[in-house]
Amino acid sequence: MFARFRKPFRPQPSEDRRHNLFEAAAAYVAACAEDDADALEEAAGWVSPEALSFGVRELACRAVVTLARDRDESPGEVVRELMGLPTL
């Protein structure tokens, strides 16, 4: 989706290093945004599905809080706008 704006994010950790769930979540979400199926599959294999799910939720929460602060809006307003939902 945003691939035309930036160079794709491709983490290149060493083979003997384990990934933490936040690295996996960041790589997974970036790959999803860039529509990169290979990177998406790779990141999904770094941690358990449960850990990845937790990391993606944490990333989403932090992103919404950051956007809300930048826009001087509530997190609820930001998520509704991002999801294309009508404002309350």
Side-chain angles (χ1 to χ4, degrees):
M1 180 170 144
F2 296 102
R4 67 181 180 267
F5 298 116
R6 294 197 291 162
K7 198 167 136 182
F9 171 67
R10 301 261 187 182
Q12 299 295 325
S14 65
E15 292 296 321
D16 60 342
R17 182 166 109 51
R18 291 183 53 145
H19 301 277
N20 73 42
L21 66 102
F22 297 115
E23 288 175 316
Y28 184 87
V29 170
C32 183
E34 294 166 352
D35 199 25
D36 185 340
D38 293 334
L40 189 70
E41 185 177 331
E42 180 183 349
W46 290 352
V47 294
S48 73
E50 295 83 10
L52 183 61
S53 178
F54 174 80
V56 169
R57 277 195 318 269
E58 184 65 23
L59 177 59
C61 289
R62 291 179 187 196
V64 167
V65 167
T66 299
L67 281 172
R69 286 181 185 151
D70 288 349
R71 297 177 179 186
D72 197 27
E73 297 176 356
S74 74
E77 291 170 322
V78 170
V79 296
R80 295 190 70 78
E81 179 185 335
L82 289 172
M83 298 304 294
L85 301 171
T87 56
L88 298 176

